[in-house]
Coordinates of all heavy atoms in Angstrom, one line a residue:
G1 N 18.0 -72.1 61.8 CA 16.9 -71.3 61.2 C 17.1 -70.9 59.8 O 16.2 -70.9 59.0
S2 N 18.4 -70.7 59.4 CA 18.7 -70.3 58.0 C 18.5 -71.5 57.1 O 18.2 -71.3 55.9 CB 20.2 -69.9 57.9 OG 21.0 -71.0 58.2
L3 N 18.5 -72.8 57.6 CA 18.3 -73.9 56.7 C 16.8 -74.1 56.4 O 16.4 -74.6 55.4 CB 18.8 -75.2 57.4 CG 20.3 -75.3 57.5 CD1 20.7 -76.6 58.2 CD2 21.0 -75.3 56.1
E4 N 16.0 -73.6 57.3 CA 14.5 -73.7 57.1 C 14.0 -72.7 56.1 O 13.0 -73.0 55.4 CB 13.8 -73.5 58.5 CG 14.0 -74.6 59.5 CD 13.5 -75.9 59.0 OE1 12.5 -75.9 58.3 OE2 14.1 -77.0 59.3
E5 N 14.6 -71.6 56.0 CA 14.0 -70.5 55.2 C 13.9 -70.8 53.7 O 12.9 -70.6 53.1 CB 14.9 -69.2 55.3 CG 14.7 -68.6 56.7 CD 15.6 -67.5 57.0 OE1 16.4 -67.1 56.0 OE2 15.6 -66.9 58.1
P6 N 15.0 -71.4 53.0 CA 14.9 -71.8 51.6 C 13.7 -72.7 51.3 O 13.1 -72.6 50.3 CB 16.2 -72.4 51.3 CG 17.1 -71.9 52.3 CD 16.3 -71.7 53.5
K7 N 13.4 -73.6 52.3 CA 12.3 -74.6 52.0 C 11.0 -73.8 52.0 O 10.2 -74.1 51.1 CB 12.3 -75.6 53.2 CG 11.3 -76.7 53.0 CD 11.2 -77.6 54.2 CE 12.5 -78.4 54.3 NZ 12.5 -79.3 55.5
A8 N 10.8 -72.9 52.9 CA 9.5 -72.1 52.9 C 9.4 -71.3 51.6 O 8.4 -71.2 51.0 CB 9.5 -71.2 54.1
E9 N 10.6 -70.7 51.2 CA 10.5 -69.9 50.0 C 10.2 -70.7 48.8 O 9.5 -70.3 47.9 CB 11.9 -69.2 49.8 CG 12.1 -68.1 50.9 CD 13.5 -67.5 50.8 OE1 14.3 -68.0 49.9 OE2 13.9 -66.6 51.5
S10 N 10.8 -71.9 48.7 CA 10.5 -72.7 47.5 C 9.1 -73.2 47.4 O 8.5 -73.2 46.3 CB 11.4 -74.0 47.5 OG 11.1 -74.8 48.6
S11 N 8.4 -73.5 48.5 CA 7.0 -73.9 48.5 C 6.1 -72.7 48.1 O 5.1 -72.9 47.4 CB 6.6 -74.4 49.9 OG 6.7 -73.4 50.8
I12 N 6.5 -71.5 48.5 CA 5.7 -70.3 48.1 C 5.9 -70.0 46.6 O 5.0 -69.7 45.9 CB 6.1 -69.1 49.0 CG1 5.6 -69.4 50.4 CG2 5.4 -67.9 48.5 CD1 6.1 -68.4 51.4
S13 N 7.2 -70.1 46.2 CA 7.5 -69.7 44.8 C 6.8 -70.7 43.8 O 6.7 -70.4 42.6 CB 9.0 -69.7 44.6 OG 9.5 -71.0 44.7
L14 N 6.4 -71.9 44.2 CA 5.8 -72.9 43.3 C 4.4 -72.4 42.9 O 3.9 -72.6 41.8 CB 5.6 -74.2 44.0 CG 4.9 -75.3 43.2 CD1 5.7 -75.7 42.0 CD2 4.7 -76.6 44.1
L15 N 3.7 -71.6 43.8 CA 2.3 -71.2 43.5 C 2.2 -70.3 42.3 O 1.4 -70.6 41.4 CB 1.7 -70.5 44.7 CG 1.6 -71.5 46.0 CD1 1.1 -70.7 47.1 CD2 0.7 -72.6 45.7
P16 N 3.0 -69.3 42.1 CA 2.9 -68.4 40.9 C 3.3 -69.3 39.7 O 2.7 -69.0 38.6 CB 4.0 -67.3 41.2 CG 4.1 -67.2 42.6 CD 3.9 -68.7 43.1
H17 N 4.2 -70.2 39.8 CA 4.6 -71.0 38.7 C 3.4 -71.9 38.2 O 3.2 -72.0 37.0 CB 5.8 -71.9 39.0 CG 6.2 -72.9 38.0 ND1 6.8 -72.6 36.8 CD2 5.9 -74.3 37.9 CE1 7.0 -73.7 36.1 NE2 6.4 -74.7 36.7
L18 N 2.7 -72.5 39.2 CA 1.6 -73.3 38.9 C 0.5 -72.5 38.2 O -0.1 -72.9 37.2 CB 1.1 -74.0 40.1 CG -0.3 -74.8 40.0 CD1 -0.1 -75.9 38.9 CD2 -0.6 -75.4 41.3
E19 N 0.2 -71.3 38.8 CA -0.8 -70.4 38.2 C -0.5 -70.0 36.8 O -1.4 -70.0 35.9 CB -1.0 -69.2 39.1 CG -2.1 -68.2 38.6 CD -2.2 -67.0 39.5 OE1 -1.4 -66.9 40.5 OE2 -3.1 -66.2 39.2
A20 N 0.8 -69.8 36.5 CA 1.2 -69.4 35.2 C 1.0 -70.5 34.2 O 0.6 -70.3 33.1 CB 2.7 -68.9 35.2
K21 N 1.3 -71.8 34.7 CA 1.1 -72.9 33.8 C -0.3 -73.2 33.5 O -0.7 -73.5 32.4 CB 1.8 -74.2 34.5 CG 1.7 -75.4 33.7 CD 2.4 -75.3 32.3 CE 2.3 -76.5 31.5 NZ 3.0 -76.4 30.2
I22 N -1.2 -73.0 34.5 CA -2.6 -73.2 34.3 C -3.1 -72.2 33.3 O -3.9 -72.5 32.4 CB -3.4 -73.1 35.6 CG1 -3.0 -74.3 36.5 CG2 -4.9 -73.0 35.4 CD1 -3.6 -74.2 37.9
R23 N -2.7 -70.9 33.5 CA -3.2 -69.9 32.5 C -2.7 -70.1 31.1 O -3.4 -69.9 30.1 CB -2.7 -68.5 33.0 CG -3.5 -68.0 34.3 CD -3.1 -66.6 34.7 NE -3.8 -66.2 35.9 CZ -5.0 -65.7 35.9 NH1 -5.7 -65.6 34.7 NH2 -5.6 -65.4 37.0
Q24 N -1.5 -70.5 31.0 CA -0.9 -70.8 29.7 C -1.6 -72.0 29.0 O -1.9 -71.9 27.8 CB 0.6 -71.2 29.9 CG 1.3 -71.5 28.6 CD 2.7 -72.0 28.8 OE1 3.0 -72.7 29.8 NE2 3.6 -71.6 27.9
T25 N -2.0 -73.0 29.8 CA -2.7 -74.2 29.2 C -4.1 -73.8 28.9 O -4.6 -74.2 27.8 CB -2.7 -75.3 30.2 OG1 -1.3 -75.6 30.6 CG2 -3.3 -76.6 29.6
H26 N -4.7 -72.9 29.7 CA -6.1 -72.5 29.4 C -6.1 -71.6 28.1 O -7.0 -71.8 27.3 CB -6.6 -71.6 30.6 CG -8.0 -71.1 30.4 ND1 -8.2 -69.7 30.2 CD2 -9.2 -71.7 30.3 CE1 -9.5 -69.5 30.0 NE2 -10.1 -70.7 30.1
S27 N -5.1 -70.8 27.9 CA -5.0 -70.0 26.7 C -4.8 -70.9 25.5 O -5.4 -70.6 24.4 CB -3.8 -69.0 26.8 OG -4.0 -68.1 27.8
L28 N -4.0 -71.9 25.6 CA -3.9 -72.9 24.5 C -5.2 -73.6 24.2 O -5.5 -73.7 23.0 CB -2.8 -73.9 24.9 CG -2.6 -75.1 23.9 CD1 -2.1 -74.5 22.5 CD2 -1.6 -76.1 24.4
A29 N -5.9 -74.0 25.2 CA -7.2 -74.7 25.0 C -8.2 -73.7 24.3 O -9.0 -74.1 23.4 CB -7.8 -75.2 26.3
R30 N -8.2 -72.4 24.7 CA -9.1 -71.5 24.1 C -8.8 -71.3 22.6 O -9.6 -71.2 21.8 CB -9.0 -70.1 24.9 CG -10.0 -69.1 24.4 CD -10.1 -67.9 25.3 NE -8.8 -67.2 25.5 CZ -8.2 -67.1 26.6 NH1 -8.7 -67.6 27.7 NH2 -7.0 -66.5 26.7
L31 N -7.5 -71.2 22.3 CA -7.0 -71.0 20.9 C -7.4 -72.3 20.1 O -7.9 -72.1 19.0 CB -5.5 -70.8 20.9 CG -4.9 -70.6 19.5 CD1 -5.4 -69.3 18.9 CD2 -3.4 -70.6 19.6
L32 N -7.3 -73.4 20.7 CA -7.6 -74.7 19.9 C -9.1 -74.8 19.7 O -9.5 -75.5 18.8 CB -7.0 -75.9 20.6 CG -5.4 -75.9 20.7 CD1 -5.0 -77.3 21.2 CD2 -4.8 -75.6 19.4
T33 N -9.9 -74.3 20.6 CA -11.3 -74.3 20.5 C -11.7 -73.6 19.2 O -12.6 -74.0 18.4 CB -12.0 -73.7 21.7 OG1 -11.7 -74.4 22.9 CG2 -13.5 -73.6 21.5
K34 N -11.1 -72.5 18.9 CA -11.3 -71.7 17.7 C -10.8 -72.5 16.5 O -11.5 -72.6 15.4 CB -10.6 -70.4 17.7 CG -11.2 -69.4 18.8 CD -10.4 -68.1 18.8 CE -10.9 -67.2 20.0 NZ -10.1 -65.9 20.0

Protein backbone atom coordinates (compact mmCIF):
# COMPACT_ATOMS: atom_id res chain seq x y z
CA GLY A 1 0.00 0.00 0.00
CA SER A 2 2.82 2.41 0.79
CA LEU A 3 4.28 1.87 -2.69
CA GLU A 4 1.02 2.91 -4.35
CA GLU A 5 0.67 6.22 -2.54
CA PRO A 6 3.57 8.17 -4.17
CA LYS A 7 2.22 7.28 -7.62
CA ALA A 8 -1.18 8.77 -6.81
CA GLU A 9 0.40 11.84 -5.28
CA SER A 10 2.62 12.45 -8.33
CA SER A 11 -0.33 12.26 -10.75
CA ILE A 12 -2.28 14.76 -8.67
CA SER A 13 0.66 17.14 -8.23
CA LEU A 14 1.06 17.34 -12.03
CA LEU A 15 -2.26 19.18 -12.40
CA PRO A 16 -1.29 22.40 -10.58
CA HIS A 17 2.02 22.35 -12.46
CA LEU A 18 0.21 22.11 -15.81
CA GLU A 19 -2.25 24.84 -14.88
CA ALA A 20 0.61 27.12 -13.85
CA LYS A 21 2.41 26.50 -17.16
CA ILE A 22 -0.74 27.26 -19.15
CA ARG A 23 -1.33 30.50 -17.23
CA GLN A 24 2.31 31.51 -17.66
CA THR A 25 2.18 30.87 -21.41
CA HIS A 26 -1.15 32.70 -21.70
CA SER A 27 0.35 35.72 -19.91
CA LEU A 28 3.30 35.67 -22.31
CA ALA A 29 0.96 35.55 -25.33
CA ARG A 30 -1.07 38.46 -23.93
CA LEU A 31 2.09 40.52 -23.45
CA LEU A 32 3.33 39.74 -26.96
CA THR A 33 -0.03 40.73 -28.42
CA LYS A 34 0.61 44.24 -27.11
